[in-house]
Amino acid sequence: MAASEAEVVIIGCGISGIAAAHKLLKAGFENVRILEATARSGGRIKTDKLAGNCITEIGASYIHGPSEENPVFCLARGYGLLDPEALKPENQAMDVGESPPMVSSWFSSSGQRLKDKQMDSALEMFEKIVDDTEQYENRRETPWASVGHFIRETARQRAAKRWKGKDEATRKLLMCAVSTMLKVECCSSATHSMDELDLAGFSMYEDLKGLDCTFPNGFEGLIKNLMSELPSDLVTYNRPVRCVHWNNSESGVNTVTVECDDGERIAADHVIVTVPLGYLKKHHSTLFSPPLPAHKLHSIQKLGFGTCNKIYVEFETPWWDADCDVIYLVWEDEEDISDQVSDISKYWIKKMASFTVLKPAQKNSHVLCGWIAGHESEYMETLPEEEVRQAITQLVRTFTGKPTITPKRILRSQWFHDPWTCGSYSHPAIGCSAQDLKNMMGPLPTKGSKSQPLQVLFAGEATHPCYYSSVHGALLTGWREADRLISHYISMSRQPDQTN
């Protein structure tokens, strides 16, 4: 069979599914279609507006590592979607990892504006400790139970030396700031607690050079440009898939059947599954028939998938400095270094440890983005919007000491209760290894089977070995699976015809 005759079905119209379709069509595949469960393209890339004019990213916010190595950056640049600042060579050359230089402001739960220079010493120490996790990369055994365990114990040891000359109140405050940063780090990994992350696995993620940047007119602009280059009838929306029927037999031209929720059955030669790991964790037992092999199921369970939500808050006037990039909130009762609250229903708001400042400010619109992860974040999603707004109002008044500050409006994400994502993005949970990420990307049937190869392929951020949790990782996996099929048909075309 020629590539042009192969029937390929892609499940999911997020960026990995779109990327796979792009590459296959360019390579001469003529029978490609995407089935999308929702009414829109983009998946976890979703842009909205607050008050009609302020761009807010409900999903992905940043291009992490915008440089020549980042395909998202290169595409965005080609489409003219970035600010001139993001295109500067010096910005692309910066090697700052996930900690770009930012002007920070610190506030305490007693309503005090704290000395930024003093508090930044806690931030610097924390970032150095996170960097030091790299020494445990690929180690099978470490003296620490988790990333959280390593950070807490190391922070206590270093604080005892570094801050021994400071008075007790200051030392206590700085340790509370470490708790703040631990909660912020939970957002970076979309985890309930850093205690749930594997120390050896934590360093599998690789940073790209470049100073993180955003899309001035929204991340969805990238999706719209990519979609405009695909045939208009390529995607079928509102078409959830109930089950992918694959087989291990040696017969059959169309060896895979995609069964949709509406009863439609679509015969295909290859299916590329790009659903989020959260959905896969919840529905794998019914999504595949026969069930996934044990090694793949094991890895789906080993990989973590958590929730990180954003709450955008608009104010009439700013209560932060004009040059401020990020605001950190320090609870003065958290010197024991904790990233969880004791009673989620009462104290969920304490998990929201930082706001980033949206820039530039729109006319009469000043907006902060609050970050919250874990079970506290999932609980927040269940509350009425007005209750969330009241909690934010009380939080801001408590930390600024200004009892009249009142947000105009809020806008929040709710990824955990989105039935097609069931969370935000993946992380290496306890026991997760590089082999698990390899297992995630492996096609079905497995090597050595005599049945037709490459019936079911897997793409999406959770299948990238070192760029998981990122948009560029998701994009690259879509290309990877397309390349897998392209290579398959090239090798088949080179084999001698056995029919003569």
Side-chain angles (χ1 to χ4, degrees), residues 39 60 66 143 151 202 232 280 289 302 305 318 394 402 436 442 487 489:
I151 289 175
F202 189 56
S232 58
L280 208 52
S289 179
K302 270 285 179 359
F305 192 84
Q394 188 57 48
K402 297 176 180 178
D436 291 306
S487 298
Y489 281 93

Side-chain angles (χ1 to χ4, degrees), residues 113-140:
R113 169 73 187 270
L114 302 173
K115 293 178 181 178
D116 299 335
K117 190 173 182 180
Q118 176 176 273
M119 301 311 295
D120 280 347
S121 68
L123 172 61
E124 289 161 11
M125 185 183 83
F126 184 88
E127 289 178 347
K128 179 65 170 66
I129 293 170
V130 171
D131 288 344
D132 287 347
T133 59
E134 292 181 6
Q135 65 188 293
Y136 297 103
E137 185 177 4
N138 297 325
R139 287 201 197 176
R140 291 195 175 181

Side-chain angles (χ1 to χ4, degrees), residues 37 238-243 258-264 279 420:
N238 300 305
R239 188 61 58 88
V241 168
R242 181 182 297 157
C243 185
V258 178
E259 181 187 353
C260 300
D261 268 6
D262 62 1
E264 181 186 8
Y279 187 86
W420 308 111

Side-chain angles (χ1 to χ4, degrees), residues 80-360:
L81 300 176
L82 301 176
D83 275 338
E85 188 74 16
L87 302 176
K88 289 182 177 179
E90 56 266 36
N91 279 3
Q92 295 176 50
M94 289 184 74
D95 193 1
V96 293
E98 296 274 316
S99 305
M102 301 176 88
V103 176
S104 55
S105 296
W106 296 78
F107 293 82
S108 75
S109 54
S110 59
Q112 302 298 310
R113 169 73 187 270
L114 302 173
K115 293 178 181 178
D116 299 335
K117 190 173 182 180
Q118 176 176 273
M119 301 311 295
D120 280 347
S121 68
L123 172 61
E124 289 161 11
M125 185 183 83
F126 184 88
E127 289 178 347
K128 179 65 170 66
I129 293 170
V130 171
D131 288 344
D132 287 347
T133 59
E134 292 181 6
Q135 65 188 293
Y136 297 103
E137 185 177 4
N138 297 325
R139 287 201 197 176
R140 291 195 175 181
E141 292 186 10
T142 72
W144 316 99
S146 65
V147 174
H149 184 210
F150 172 78
I151 289 175
R152 282 196 304 275
E153 292 303 312
T154 307
R156 291 186 185 112
Q157 291 169 11
R158 295 186 187 179
K161 294 178 182 178
R162 185 175 294 197
W163 300 329
K164 64 180 179 181
K166 299 183 184 295
D167 62 87
E168 186 179 346
T170 301
R171 288 199 307 271
K172 179 181 173 183
L173 197 60
L174 288 168
M175 294 305 284
C176 292
V178 175
S179 285
T180 297
M181 297 315 303
L182 201 62
K183 289 185 241 178
V184 171
E185 194 66 31
C186 286
C187 292
S188 297
S189 293
T191 185
H192 174 56
S193 167
M194 297 305 287
D195 289 354
E196 297 181 358
L197 265 63
D198 191 89
L199 183 55
F202 189 56
S203 296
M204 291 190 296
Y205 185 88
E206 294 180 8
D207 295 315
L208 293 174
K209 284 186 178 180
L211 186 61
D212 287 6
C213 67
T214 59
F215 288 78
N217 295 309
F219 221 129
E220 261 190 37
L222 177 63
I223 299 298
K224 287 173 182 173
N225 275 276
L226 288 167
M227 291 301 296
S228 71
E229 297 173 3
L230 294 175
S232 58
D233 60 349
L234 188 86
V235 186
T236 307
Y237 293 100
N238 300 305
R239 188 61 58 88
V241 168
R242 181 182 297 157
C243 185
V244 177
H245 299 271
W246 61 288
N247 63 64
N248 289 310
S249 69
E250 297 179 46
S251 60
V253 177
N254 295 113
T255 54
V256 197
T257 302
V258 178
E259 181 187 353
C260 300
D261 268 6
D262 62 1
E264 181 186 8
R265 295 175 78 91
I266 303 166
D269 297 295
H270 312 282
V271 175
I272 303 177
V273 178
T274 75
V275 301
L277 176 62
Y279 187 86
L280 208 52
K281 280 176 174 285
K282 192 171 183 179
H283 298 286
H284 66 78
S285 62
T286 55
L287 189 58
F288 299 96
S289 179
L292 295 174
H295 72 282
K296 194 172 271 288
L297 282 176
H298 179 78
S299 295
I300 287 171
Q301 290 158 0
K302 270 285 179 359
L303 263 171
F305 192 84
T307 306
C308 173
N309 277 311
K310 290 176 272 192
I311 307 175
Y312 291 96
V313 194
E314 183 188 10
F315 296 89
E316 197 77 54
T317 55
W319 47 268
W320 55 91
D321 297 342
D323 64 344
C324 179
D325 297 311
V326 59
I327 296 163
Y328 293 118
L329 308 179
V330 180
W331 291 91
E332 294 179 46
D333 60 350
E334 293 185 341
E335 68 269 23
D336 288 338
I337 311 181
S338 174
D339 56 13
Q340 304 168 59
V341 304
S342 56
D343 185 332
I344 288 177
S345 62
K346 283 185 181 179
Y347 304 119
W348 67 267
I349 193 69
K350 291 183 74 173
K351 190 63 169 278
M352 198 169 74
S354 69
F355 291 100
T356 46
V357 181
L358 265 64
K359 295 179 179 181

Side-chain angles (χ1 to χ4, degrees), residues 315 319 355 391-402 405:
F315 296 89
W319 47 268
F355 291 100
I392 296 279
T393 302
Q394 188 57 48
L395 182 77
V396 171
R397 289 176 177 178
T398 296
F399 277 82
T400 60
K402 297 176 180 178
I405 293 179

